[in-house]
Amino acid sequence: MIDLDFDKMGGLIPAIVQDHASGDVLMLGYMNAEAFAATLESGEATFFSRSRRELWIKGKTSGHVQRVKSIHIDCDRDAILVRVEQVGGAACHTGYRSCFYRRVEDRRLIIDDQPIFDPKEVYKK
Amino acid sequence: MIDLDFDKMGGLIPAIVQDHASGDVLMLGYMNAEAFAATLESGEATFFSRSRRELWIKGKTSGHVQRVKSIHIDCDRDAILVRVEQVGGAACHTGYRSCFYRRVEDRRLIIDDQPIFDPKEVYKK
């Protein structure tokens, strides 16, 4: 089995999600041991939601799941890199392709991309 | 000024470092407010070392500094993406280009890259 260092951050390891085709960094999530096992088992990126304190299959609500193409582990075994196919093209709940859609410019944040979907349409309640 | 959420993780924010030319994810570090300000000011990626509890200019010992090309902030303002020029070609203290040099394959870790330098040569004491 793969021995990861979940102790350093109270049971969680940060997981970087990268688009396997474009190389764009899409988001940063957190996995506990259960989320990591679920990701390996299901082939869909699964995280632990720190706000809701529960397992979170990315895209379960929006349909924009992340199909895992590869998983890499860093030298200290305390960070994960997941390369995915991003279904629907957008990883961010705001409708942007990447959660990193704002760039630091002259000590301010400016929006650096165009939204792909309208969150109001996707997250209808 | 840029308002980042340093509170969620006790003063630290994870910072993903990506090679601006190849798109390779090189490492994950942590910045406190001081490291973030130093990165903006100096143009060289600067982190907070969790083990040494001090500011850490990446590459200060090896000469393999990371020249900042762009900085992006995520939707929740609790993650940073730094695109860099990696001087010397290797970000990892093990001599690999990326700290993510091991791939998960059949529930085991296999080495997925060739080292660029010999750590014994670079980190002479």
Side-chain angles (χ1 to χ4, degrees), chain A:
Chain A
M1 226 3 234
I2 298 160
D3 183 32
L4 301 182
D5 184 353
F6 286 102
D7 293 336
K8 216 174 269 178
M9 207 186 279
L12 298 179
I13 293 185
I16 302 160
V17 182
Q18 183 180 31
D19 187 294
H20 83 109
S22 68
D24 290 333
V25 173
L26 299 176
M27 56 174 277
L28 181 82
Y30 293 86
M31 293 184 183
N32 61 2
E34 196 186 347
F36 182 65
T39 299
L40 288 182
E41 185 64 29
S42 69
E44 293 190 348
T46 305
F47 304 93
F48 181 79
S49 164
R50 293 181 299 169
S51 53
R52 298 192 304 272
R53 310 295 304 165
E54 63 182 20
L55 227 59
W56 160 44
I57 301 166
K58 170 73 189 162
K60 205 182 173 184
T61 308
S62 64
H64 296 178
V65 295
Q66 297 176 330
R67 292 188 190 125
V68 174
K69 294 293 181 178
S70 67
I71 300 177
H72 287 73
I73 306 297
D74 82 337
C75 47
D76 291 333
R77 297 170 188 253
D78 62 4
I80 301 169
L81 171 64
V82 189
R83 294 207 184 105
V84 303
E85 177 199 342
Q86 175 62 63
V87 173
C92 191
H93 70 285
T94 55
Y96 288 93
R97 195 169 39 99
S98 164
C99 292
F100 297 93
Y101 61 89
R102 290 175 300 191
R103 195 173 75 239
V104 176
E105 193 76 53
D106 294 331
R107 315 230 159 191
R108 288 169 55 215
L109 290 181
I110 57 162
I111 290 180
D112 200 20
D113 201 6
Q114 299 292 327
I116 283 181
F117 68 76
D118 178 355
K120 288 192 206 103
E121 288 300 309
V122 169
Y123 297 100
K124 286 175 192 164
K125 294 266 165 160

Side-chain angles (χ1 to χ4, degrees), chain B residues 64-76:
Chain B
H64 296 179
V65 296
Q66 298 176 330
R67 293 188 190 126
V68 175
K69 295 294 182 177
S70 67
I71 300 178
H72 286 75
I73 306 297
D74 82 337
C75 47
D76 291 333

